[in-house]
Amino acid sequence: MTSQDDRRSAATRNNVDWCAAVCRTHGILGTHTDLAWTSTRRTPPYYPDAITLHPDATAADLLDKIDTATPGCSVKDSFAELDLASDGFVELFTAQWIHRPADLPAPTAPGVRAEPVRTADALRRWQAAWGESDLFRPALLADRDILILAVTDGESAIGGAVLNRGGGVVGISNLFASNNSAIDAVWSGVLGAAHRRFSGLAVVGYTHGGELAAALAAGFVTAGPLRVWLREP
């Protein structure tokens, strides 16, 4: 059985892979070290300018490698170890890394299907349902380690999510449901797709609030806290 530290490290590495993939489609190439992933250019909305990869990472390891002058600069402190308040940041939110063992069967929800988004038009519709536009570029659809999923219940669209393989696990991110009553069905559909496409891999991610309760109900366990910091204007 893996330790909590191992689960969190795998989730962190996986999240860096996903964030870096999104940034590359926007022409942004980040830098990896043993301590952190950083980008000297402002990253797309919702994506941090720095992500710590080790609990020993310090503010000094990050802040001179990112653009703190342009509004919107953010740091994902994967181990909730940093205090960036004195550097002009405010805490945006805290969350929990989550982990689901590879050998745990996917939950089932009758009639629910999670199908890959395969075309640029379908991706535009998916993003509109999620509530954004032009954040995810069509180049992501060609990456075999990434699966953008549209979840349906019969003929009705009820949500979606993104899966990405990396760090020896498969990550779930950007999960959304059309309404609160559909969230459990969306988790079921997405986990079923993860088991079919990426068989044998544990599933990881991070979440908080009501979404955390839904993830725990779907068989995840927590793997430690993270914190996201936002630079004040």
Side-chain angles (χ1 to χ4, degrees):
M1 178 178 292
T2 58
S3 70
Q4 176 165 296
D5 287 346
D6 289 340
R7 293 192 292 267
R8 179 158 52 174
S9 292
T12 299
R13 293 193 303 271
N14 175 273
N15 186 249
V16 165
D17 286 350
W18 166 238
C19 292
V22 172
C23 288
R24 285 195 299 271
T25 65
H26 288 257
I28 299 169
L29 300 179
T31 300
H32 279 87
T33 70
D34 291 339
L35 295 175
W37 177 90
T38 55
S39 171
T40 56
R41 289 179 54 192
R42 174 57 16 81
T43 49
Y46 310 116
Y47 287 82
D49 299 79
I51 306 172
T52 60
L53 283 164
H54 194 281
D56 290 342
T58 67
D61 296 315
L62 309 174
L63 299 186
D64 64 349
K65 299 178 178 65
I66 61 178
D67 177 8
T68 58
T70 305
C73 178
S74 62
V75 171
K76 182 178 289 176
D77 174 13
S78 303
F79 301 88
E81 293 284 351
L82 299 177
D83 184 352
L84 300 181
S86 62
D87 298 293
F89 288 77
V90 295
E91 182 181 315
L92 186 60
F93 65 85
T94 58
Q96 285 284 334
W97 292 109
I98 54 174
H99 179 278
R100 195 176 192 275
D103 59 358
L104 188 63
T108 59
V112 173
R113 295 179 61 84
E115 298 292 344
V117 172
R118 300 189 186 279
T119 68
D121 284 344
L123 181 59
R124 280 192 289 271
R125 292 193 297 271
W126 188 96
Q127 291 193 90
W130 179 49
E132 288 295 328
S133 62
D134 199 39
L135 176 59
F136 296 156
R137 302 289 172 80
L140 291 171
L141 304 178
D143 191 326
R144 292 188 58 81
D145 289 327
I146 294 171
L147 197 62
I148 299 176
L149 295 168
V151 183
T152 60
D153 181 0
E155 297 298 320
S156 301
I158 61 170
V162 176
L163 300 177
N164 78 291
R165 177 172 52 191
V169 294
V170 56
I172 292 182
S173 61
N174 304 92
L175 187 142
F176 69 95
S178 57
N179 57 69
N180 289 337
S181 64
I183 188 68
D184 290 338
V186 173
W187 274 108
S188 295
V190 171
L191 286 170
H195 279 255
R196 291 190 299 273
R197 177 68 175 268
F198 303 113
S199 177
L201 295 180
V203 183
V204 300
Y206 72 87
T207 188
H208 58 97
E211 292 179 1
L212 176 58
L216 298 178
F220 286 86
V221 296
T222 58
L226 67 103
R227 184 177 294 121
V228 174
W229 294 89
L230 179 68
R231 176 82 170 186
E232 290 189 298

